[in-house]
C-alpha cells in the first residue's frame, strides 16, 4: 500500500471537499441519504432517476475508471425504486439498475464490479421494447457479494449469505449459504451465530 505523504492539512481539506461535494451535488439526487455516509471520489458516483434511498453510515467508493452507477429507469406509473440499508459498503464499478424494485438490506458489502438488475432491459423477441420482463430483487442483511458478480431479476438472497466472485445469480439463495458459479449454486451452509 502506498503511503500518503501529503501534509495533514491537505488531507483534511481533501476530505472536507469530498464531504461538501457529496452534500451539495449527490444528496439532492437521493430521496433519502442517511447520516454519516462517506463518499470517496463522489464526483465519480452517478445517481439517476428515483426514488433512491441510501441508509446511515454507508461507504461508497468510486474511481475514475470504475464509476458507481445507481439508476432507476421505469416505464411504470408508480415508478421503480432502489433501497440500500444502513452500513452498506459499495466498492468501485458497482452498477445497480432498477425498473421495478431492488432492496438491499443492512450491513451488505458489494465488491468491485457487482451488477444488480431487476430487468432484461429489452424484449427477447421484440428488442424495441424498452424495459422487457422485470421482477424485484431482494438481498437480505449482512450479505457479502464478491467481485464481478451479476445478480439477475427476480432473485432473493437470504441474510448472512456469501456470493463468490464472478458468479451469475439467476435463482434464489437461502440464508446462511455460500453460493458461486455460473449459474450460482449453493456450495455450503454457514453456521449461524459463529463469529
Amino acid at each position: 500500500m502506498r503511503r500518503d505523504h501529503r501534509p495533514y492539512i491537505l488531507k483534511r481539506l481533501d476530505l472536507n471537499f469530498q464531504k461538501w461535494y457529496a452534500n451539495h451535488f449527490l444528496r439532492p439526487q437521493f430521496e433519502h441519504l442517511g447520516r454519516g455516509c462517506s463518499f470517496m471520489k463522489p464526483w465519480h458516483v452517478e445517481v439517476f432517476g428515483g426514488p433512491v434511498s441510501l441508509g446511515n453510515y454507508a461507504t461508497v467508493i468510486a474511481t475514475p475508471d470504475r464509476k458507481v452507477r445507481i439508476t432507476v429507469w421505469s416505464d411504470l406509473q408508480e415508478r421503480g425504486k432502489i433501497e440500500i440499508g444502513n452500513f452498506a459498503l459499495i466498492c468501485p464499478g458497482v452498477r445497480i439498475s432498477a425498473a421495478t424494485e431492488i432492496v438491499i438490506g443492512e450491513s451488505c458489502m458489494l465488491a468491485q464490479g457487482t451488477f444488480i438488475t431487476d430487468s432484461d432491459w429489452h424484449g427477447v423477441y421484440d428488442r424495441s421494447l424498452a424495459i422487457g420482463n422485470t421482477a424485484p430483487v431482494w438481498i437480505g442483511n449482512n450479505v457479502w457479494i464478491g467481485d464481478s458478480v451479476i445478480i439477475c431479476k427476480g432473485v432473493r438472497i437470504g441474510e448472512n449469505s456469501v456470493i463468490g466472485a464472478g458468479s451469475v445469480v439467476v435463482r434464489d439463495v437461502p440464508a446462511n449459504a455460500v453460493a458461486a458459479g455460473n449459474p450460482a449454486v449453493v456450495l455450503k451452509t454457514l453456521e449461524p451465530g459463529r463469529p
Side-chain angles (χ1 to χ4, degrees):
M1 184 171 198
R2 294 176 85 184
R3 184 171 177 187
D4 189 347
H5 293 284
R6 294 177 297 173
Y8 177 76
I9 189 70
L10 289 180
K11 294 179 203 176
R12 197 79 195 135
L13 284 171
D14 182 45
L15 291 172
N16 286 336
F17 176 71
Q18 290 186 64
K19 187 181 285 187
W20 173 84
Y21 187 97
N23 280 321
H24 191 72
F25 292 106
L26 286 180
R27 186 171 291 279
Q29 306 300 318
F30 288 91
E31 179 181 68
H32 171 75
L33 180 59
R35 68 182 182 280
C37 289
S38 174
F39 289 87
M40 296 177 72
K41 307 290 187 217
W43 40 90
H44 297 299
V45 176
E46 298 175 357
V47 180
F48 177 77
V52 176
S53 299
L54 182 61
N56 299 327
Y57 304 106
T59 301
V60 180
I61 305 167
T63 61
D65 60 331
R66 294 258 183 191
K67 295 179 187 254
V68 171
R69 292 183 170 96
I70 303 172
T71 307
V72 176
W73 184 37
S74 180
D75 62 353
L76 304 172
Q77 287 186 340
E78 62 268 11
R79 301 171 34 168
K81 72 174 183 175
I82 296 173
E83 290 180 9
I84 303 170
N86 300 330
F87 307 106
L89 171 61
I90 299 174
C91 293
V94 168
R95 293 181 300 147
I96 304 171
S97 300
T100 52
E101 179 181 53
I102 295 175
V103 177
I104 299 172
E106 296 188 356
S107 302
C108 289
M109 298 189 303
L110 309 180
Q112 178 174 284
T114 297
F115 177 47
I116 303 171
T117 184
D118 67 354
S119 175
D120 292 333
W121 298 111
H122 57 76
V124 175
Y125 297 104
D126 182 0
R127 294 192 178 115
S128 66
L129 295 175
I131 302 292
N133 294 325
T134 65
V137 172
W138 182 84
I139 298 172
N141 296 333
N142 196 36
V143 171
W144 178 12
I145 299 172
D147 195 273
S148 303
V149 169
I150 299 173
I151 298 176
C152 298
K153 68 178 190 233
V155 167
R156 294 177 69 86
I157 299 175
E159 62 183 22
N160 304 318
S161 291
V162 178
I163 309 299
S167 299
V168 178
V169 185
V170 294
R171 289 185 293 273
D172 292 354
V173 175
N176 303 305
V178 176
N182 180 4
V185 294
V186 174
L187 301 176
K188 72 178 195 174
T189 302
L190 300 171
E191 298 175 31
R194 182 176 170 186

